């Protein structure tokens, strides 16, 4: 670790007239910070000499005090930090954290208010946050608005989803500033969705991406969202400018703060090479180090699950019975007849365990195991699910023994129907129940509107809630996979038991209207910048009509592409989402899922363009094997896979899982070919990808 | 137990044209139920041939369906029940539950809706509720309004407090319908208080009392408040009519219901003898029987507490330090200096334990023992107190041993600052911590505005919360004393571990402006009808100037009256609220507090008039001793204590703790006299009570 501290405390008088400037270690990014004539803090950012953000305001508005204007600079500190850290799991064994930091200390008078703006300028971008130090005149701050502005410099292309306080399960729009309003107007339709603001702005969500006409990519998000609501963005399209829009609670308050307080980091990842956006670890670097001394209990893993059965044909149910009046804790479920369509039963789960054991899959998720699914309409019930009460046909004790004997883990499911209050009420008992029954991971769910009814999915209380669940789970050595939680902001660095989240439109939508092939070509540029996604790849039977003639649509993917997703959508928790019987129809292709690791010592992004294509190579953390994944949108493509990352001179065998020549996501999705080629570091593979297709390659050292 | 069932199912056609009538077992109360021309259910009630409630409407308005009109009667059931039950603790060893029940089944069409109105007519009053049975067209009901009307028959006198969703800590008004608006206008001042409704009605709270000019007393409240918000009342003063006003959440919804559902009982206790109002067990009778098989762990008790020290002179603090930035779970409290004014410290608590052991007081409450008091402004923090983390000067382990060795219980204090969500989050850990450390009772507190921020103290979620806490406490064999919770509705019958509540203006106000003597002459007619109150009697040093010259006011009581309150404010949990050193100044008077039981086998109300005076005799549950308490308002009075309740022929000695001749609550509160007289069942004591005074008498069998 190199650490060079250069504190530079300058006199206020000398500074207040002049801008403070700092550049990234490489010098390619230059940040200017100043206060304008009204004493409002402003900043601007340039990349390779071209403006990226022009003079934009900063400020916080609270009920008790305003931190928006009247400021003078009382001093600045600048340090340079160059250090590295080793994640418990991830894309790299080693992450470099190299930045120049500028802290600008501000003071306003009558009454006196103190504010520090802290900027970290990396070679691949900028992070900055507000720090409200202890001060005499403000203790509590009821935050109503954050004024952070991002004033862009042209009619860039935006890759983004509609603003909404309660969901981010959308497809991405690719649209210029000038077309955003028309594009988003019909998409802001949910009652709970944020509506265009009074000034006519259009609301979108982060993580989002911009591309300038001269080829600069800008990823905009936030890091370390703790004790604060999620940031959406109000876009002023004519001005090509965005302003922070904090998800409020239903009383209209953004956050209830007590000083001292530091906001999350607002992050801009910037490069003229799209691959750098994917490779950037900036958001993780801006999060706090791992909070745990012992991480030996945290295990990246692959899993299958009693889950897809409920999506395929609207036949199987999470519920045990059809009595929609059944109430957990009140109804005697053992006296209810099963509806006969409840796959979370002991015999079926044993079949999944058998399959997992046979194929080296680490774990089995079971959804619909606990009382309450007959009727779980959100927002209606102050008491919903019981998290320590299994359905009568789900024998927790037998399954624990059966799974343990076969070396398979069970993953518990905690759907809350968004009654987060009820979940917190039961949390200790729920986690104790898990540990007693041998579960070491939980998938949480927040479908519906939130209880407490004052809250949204992304308001401060809910942000606190999901962070609390992750931390409390760690106390029990439980790993977490959150669904319908606020989108991640790199907190998995601090809480590495928080393996993955959904927080985007996932693979389940293949059964609910399908995802176009481009969807997984934009997620890594946006959603994945916050952290791993439980996207649930591995769909082999992509035609929903296979189960149900009425469902004429099908997944936007070939079978081979599904294998590639294990590389392009990196996660320490990867599902093989399809039914065991479908995998048994394609055992040679399933072999790739058996083999592919979920934890990496190195990653090389070889080709990338948002919404178009991604090609990535990764090295297994526990062997010398490399894996390559390549995907395209609905256009066929030839990926160029330069294997120069391999150690020079060493011989390898590449096993290539590829689209067959006539494969097509729509007409012929299951046509694939598996072949092996000898390769070394001088090899450049030209790999054809079908429309909506992909390729997955395992590269193993050749036996001598 | 006598139980006579007389089901009378009549044809709809025969009934819909005519009123259904039922009378109480004695025949003195007569109820009529009908539907009017619009098909709206209506009822009226007469007592001894005089109308008490004239034709008043009934109905529920929901978002999904309305249950207000279009009804026809499809049938009625009538049964007579006469049974008795034995409370775990209370005013009587045996309670008779004797009523005629009328169930009126209603049906409305387009779409079909079903509603049952269930009435129970006792000799001392009426209870009725709405029952929404399972039905095809309604599953969930978002309840917006309950239309229950109480149309009275004259310009009665009302004893009531202002309507407010968040507090009932008010003095009572005594005012006629015609004067209510002027009386209440200046009292409805809190921001969270309910404002006069659009129709000009004035909002008040239950439990409240009415008195007619011909001497009929009517107590209006509710029983078994479960899964529903508390009922306030909108008073139409010119019409002398009241309508139910359910405490809404901050989204404006009264209740989120799922059918089948039964509302709480709306209760009217009626008599022309004020003593009957006090003696009535109607509300307990309308609650469900005890929910526990084993109640051996439930122990009525007296306690002292580290508490009054914080009220007397604004010197002692609940907080350990003066660092108002200290945050539980973040701040290292052991590194903070104590402010030196923190009485919840080990040495001081040991002194309290010593005192309790010396004087046969069962338990010691300690407030301010846990982290978080430095800064506990409600509504600001999603995380507030820790309930398993003691301050550094409070040695939980030593105190457990010290108290156990001396046979004294410790009572834990859980102030939540109204962050009920945070309390539920920690509840299991908090109760586990209590059990590990030998605590068997908890005093809970909800000072401030509620988190979840969608809620009020009396909205449905909070009603569910306090009921949940009582039930969960029972799982741990913990007794509960709730402060600032929704006022009780007799649920202590079902959950007898819920020993007492505050839920009214209690004794603590003697240090915050004082309570007039009349206050404790009206509470038993109103607040106490719902259940016992932790009023905290036993104040011997009534002059606040004793501690702090700046506090010129003093308690509205003589010392002798404080002893009488142990009889007139019956509770299985009675505090001796004053400081041990004050009790040591008056050891002969304190002897009464040592002796007085907190559980009774019989009670006889000898004299009573609301706001004026109460005289009551009670028999110890565990001996042949009787106790008498008599209080008056700020007028002197001669109580006539007819001892004919004593067994004929048996000789007793009465030890009388009385006001001295020149005693006066204001000028001479501590002048008392103790004398003994021989008495028997033929004796009628004429006992003088000073202005604001009282008398307490212990009557023990004379030794032979």
């Amino acid at each position: 670790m190199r650490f060079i501290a250069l504190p530079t405390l300058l006199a206020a008088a000398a500074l207040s007239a002049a801008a403070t400037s700092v550049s990234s270690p490489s010098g390619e990014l230059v940040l200017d910070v100043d206060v304008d004539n009204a004493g409002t803090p402003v900043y601007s950012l340039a990349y390779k000499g071209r403006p990226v953000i022009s003079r934009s305001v900063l400020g916080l508005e609270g009920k008790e005090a305003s931190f928006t204007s009247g400021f003078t600079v009382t001093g600045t500190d600048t340090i340079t930090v160059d250090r590295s850290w080793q994640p418990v799991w991830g894309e790299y064994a080693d992450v470099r954290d190299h930045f120049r930091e500028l802290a600008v200390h501000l003071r306003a008078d009558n009454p006196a208010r103190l504010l520090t703006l802290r900027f970290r300028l990396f070679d691949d971008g900028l992070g900055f946050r507000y720090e409200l130090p202890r001060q005499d005149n403000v203790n509590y701050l009821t935050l109503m608005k954050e004024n952070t502005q991002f004033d862009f410099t042209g009619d860039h292309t935006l890759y983004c989803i509609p603003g909404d306080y309660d969901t981010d399960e959308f497809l991405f729009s690719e649209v210029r500033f000038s077309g955003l309003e028309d594009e988003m107007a019909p998409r802001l339709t949910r009652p709970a969705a944020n509506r265009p603001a009074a000034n006519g702005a259009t609301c979108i969500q982060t993580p989002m991406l911009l591309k300038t006409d001269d080829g600069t990519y800008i990823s905009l998000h936030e890091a370390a969202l703790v004790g604060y609501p999620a940031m959406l963005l109000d876009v002023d399209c004519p001005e090509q400018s965005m302003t922070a829009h904090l998800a409020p609670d239903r009383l209209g308050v953004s956050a209830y703060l007590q000083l001292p307080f530091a906001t999350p980091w607002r992050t801009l990842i910037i490069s003229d090479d799209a691959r750098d956006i994917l490779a950037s670890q900036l958001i993780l670097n801006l999060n706090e180090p791992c909070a745990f001394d012992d991480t030996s209990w945290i295990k990246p893993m692959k899993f299958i699950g009693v889950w897809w059965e409920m999506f395929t044909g609207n036949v199987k149910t999470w519920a045990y019975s059809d009595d929609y009046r059944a109430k957990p804790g009140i109804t005697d479920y053992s006296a209810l007849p099963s509806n006969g369509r409840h796959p979370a039963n002991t015999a079926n789960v044993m079949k999944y365990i058998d399959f997992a054991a046979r194929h080296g899959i680490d774990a089995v998720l079971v959804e619909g195991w606990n009382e309450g699914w007959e009727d779980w309409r959100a927002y209606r019930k102050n008491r919903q699910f019981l998290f320590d009460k299994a359905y009568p046909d789900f024998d927790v004790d037998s399954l624990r023994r059966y799974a343990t004997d076969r070396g398979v883990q069970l993953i518990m499911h905690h759907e809350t129907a968004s009654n987060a209050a009820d979940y917190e009420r039961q949390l200790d008992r729920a986690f104790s129940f898990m540990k007693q029954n041998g579960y070491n991971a939980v998938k949480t769910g927040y479908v519906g509107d939130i209880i407490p009814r004052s809250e949204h999915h992304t308001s401060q209380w809910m942000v606190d809630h999901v962070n609390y669940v992750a931390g409390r789970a760690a106390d029990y050595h439980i790993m977490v996979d959150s669904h319908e939680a606020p989108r991640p902001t790199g907190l998995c660095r601090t809480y590495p038991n928080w393996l993955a989240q959904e927080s985007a439109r996932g693979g389940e939508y293949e059964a609910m209207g399908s995802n176009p092939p481009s969807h997984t070509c934009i997620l890594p540029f946006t959603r994945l910048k916050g952290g791993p996604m439980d996207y649930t790849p591995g769909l082999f039977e992509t035609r929903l009509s296979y189960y149900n003639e009425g469902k004429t649509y099908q997944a936007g993917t070939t079978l081979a592409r599904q294998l590639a997703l294990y590389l392009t959508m990196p996660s320490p928790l990867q599902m093989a989402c399809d039914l065991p019987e479908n995998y048994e129809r394609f055992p040679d292709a399933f072999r790739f899922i058996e083999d592919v690791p979920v934890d990496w010592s190195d990653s090389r992004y070889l080709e990338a363009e948002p919404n178009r294509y991604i090609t990535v190579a990764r090295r297994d953390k526990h062997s010398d094997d490399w894996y390559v994944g390549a995907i395209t949108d609905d256009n066929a493509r030839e990926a160029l896979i330069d294997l120069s990352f391999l150690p020079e001179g060493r011989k390898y065998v590449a096993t290539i899982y590829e689209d067959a020549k006539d494969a097509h996501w729509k007409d012929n999705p299951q046509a694939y070919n598996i072949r092996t080629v000898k390769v070394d570091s001088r090899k450049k593979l030209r790999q054809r990808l079908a429309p909506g297709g992909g390729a997955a390659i395992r590269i193993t050292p050749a036996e001598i």
Side-chain angles (χ1 to χ4, degrees), chain A residues 139-216:
Chain A
N139 175 22
Y140 292 113
L141 187 68
T142 309
L143 192 71
M144 303 308 289
K145 197 167 182 315
E146 177 182 322
N147 293 339
T148 307
Q149 187 191 8
F150 304 92
D151 190 11
F152 293 99
T153 57
D155 191 17
H156 306 333
T157 300
L158 280 54
Y159 306 79
C160 60
I161 59 175
D164 194 306
Y165 302 144
D166 286 294
T167 187
D168 35 26
E169 298 189 7
F170 296 106
L171 292 175
F172 277 76
S173 291
E174 177 179 339
V175 61
R176 288 179 184 270
F177 274 112
S178 52
L180 184 68
E181 199 175 330
D182 288 346
E183 166 78 11
M184 283 299 166
R187 301 195 64 189
L188 293 165
T189 53
R190 282 166 45 89
N194 174 63
R195 319 303 289 161
N199 61 3
T202 298
C203 193
I204 61 172
Q205 298 189 51
T206 79
M208 58 85 58
L209 183 76
L210 301 95
K211 183 180 180 183
T212 71
D213 282 353
D214 61 6
T216 302

Side-chain angles (χ1 to χ4, degrees), chain A residues 608-684:
Chain A
E609 178 62 17
N611 253 346
R612 302 291 178 272
Y613 56 84
I614 295 170
T615 306
V616 64
R618 304 188 192 276
R619 183 180 167 177
D620 181 12
K621 202 170 197 174
H622 303 292
S623 78
D624 290 340
D625 293 356
W626 283 80
Y627 286 79
V628 174
I631 58 172
T632 180
D633 59 9
D634 53 9
N635 298 300
R637 181 168 189 272
E638 186 175 83
L640 180 63
I641 303 168
D642 181 343
L643 300 184
S644 59
F645 53 79
L646 292 174
E648 228 175 296
R650 190 154 180 201
K651 301 290 180 195
Y652 287 83
V653 175
T655 307
I656 302 175
Y657 299 73
E658 63 188 357
D659 296 317
K661 283 205 164 50
D662 55 350
H664 190 291
W665 73 270
K666 195 164 180 59
D667 303 322
N668 196 16
Q670 289 167 336
Y672 62 88
N673 180 45
I674 303 170
R675 63 188 169 97
T676 58
V677 267
K678 294 189 176 157
V679 296
D680 61 25
S681 66
R682 291 164 306 178
K683 182 79 175 177
K684 289 180 177 58

Side-chain angles (χ1 to χ4, degrees), chain A residues 472-588:
Chain A
R472 195 77 193 128
D475 294 340
Y476 288 84
H477 286 194
I478 287 171
M479 292 171 279
V480 178
D481 170 22
S482 333
H483 282 232
E484 299 94 18
R487 71 287 188 286
T489 59
L491 286 168
C492 56
R493 176 180 174 188
T494 311
Y495 306 107
N497 66 313
W498 202 348
L499 295 180
Q501 294 191 221
E502 184 184 41
S503 303
R505 183 176 165 118
E508 66 188 15
Y509 277 83
E510 303 291 15
M512 301 186 290
S514 88
N515 291 335
S518 60
H519 187 54
T520 39
C521 295
I522 188 61
L523 284 173
F525 285 96
T526 52
R527 161 64 184 78
L528 264 58
K529 295 322 297 172
M533 178 171 175
D534 179 19
Y535 183 79
T536 69
L539 192 68
F540 279 16
E541 183 45 75
T542 61
R543 300 160 303 168
L544 272 295
S545 58
Y546 181 81
Y547 308 101
N548 185 327
E549 286 185 8
K551 290 194 171 183
T552 54
Y553 54 85
Q554 66 184 73
T557 182
T558 64
L559 190 153
R561 177 202 188 81
Q562 287 290 313
L563 304 179
L565 294 180
Y566 289 85
L567 284 306
T568 60
M569 302 282 285
S571 172
L573 185 75
Q574 289 281 30
M575 191 172 201
C577 74
D578 214 327
L579 306 182
E581 50 264 43
N582 287 333
Y583 290 136
E584 280 159 358
R585 290 161 57 203
F586 307 98
D588 55 350

Side-chain angles (χ1 to χ4, degrees), chain A residues 205-333:
Chain A
Q205 298 189 51
T206 79
M208 58 85 58
L209 183 76
L210 301 95
K211 183 180 180 183
T212 71
D213 282 353
D214 61 6
T216 302
Y217 301 86
I218 308 162
S219 156
L220 205 171
H221 190 35
E222 63 182 309
L225 176 58
V226 175
Y228 205 75
M231 179 179 70
L232 294 82
L233 296 166
D234 280 335
V235 186
D236 183 331
C237 300
E239 295 291 328
Q240 297 152 358
S241 173
M242 302 183 188
T243 307
H245 174 133
L246 302 179
D249 68 13
R250 288 185 194 264
L251 309 185
V253 172
S254 293
Y256 304 83
L257 306 180
Q258 186 176 21
L259 277 49
F261 184 81
T263 69
W265 299 91
R266 281 61 189 92
T267 62
L268 294 154
I269 306 171
I270 301 165
S271 178
D272 53 14
D273 185 336
R275 298 176 301 176
D276 294 342
I277 305 292
L278 298 178
S280 173
Q281 302 291 293
L282 182 145
I283 287 178
L284 291 177
N285 277 330
L286 287 168
N287 274 273
E288 295 297 314
C290 179
F292 316 135
D293 293 329
D294 172 22
T295 58
S296 61
W297 51 277
I298 299 172
K299 309 278 189 201
M301 59 175 138
K302 285 177 286 191
F303 68 104
I304 55 172
V306 175
W307 175 70
W308 194 243
E309 297 187 54
M310 285 81 113
F311 284 86
T312 52
N314 292 338
V315 174
K316 301 294 180 65
T317 63
W318 282 267
Y320 165 73
S321 85
D322 286 342
D323 181 355
Y324 73 102
R325 314 278 185 156
K327 290 184 182 179
I330 296 168
T331 301
D332 177 6
Y333 282 78

Side-chain angles (χ1 to χ4, degrees), chain A residues 438-476:
Chain A
Y439 289 75
N440 69 347
V442 63
K443 174 181 174 179
T444 60
Y446 299 89
V447 172
D449 290 329
I450 298 292
I451 297 178
R453 297 186 179 88
S454 43
E455 306 306 323
H456 290 288
H457 278 73
T458 51
S459 63
Q460 182 194 22
W461 193 95
M462 269 305 286
V463 166
D464 283 357
H465 166 80
V466 294
N467 293 355
Y468 173 76
V469 169
R472 195 77 193 128
D475 294 340
Y476 288 84

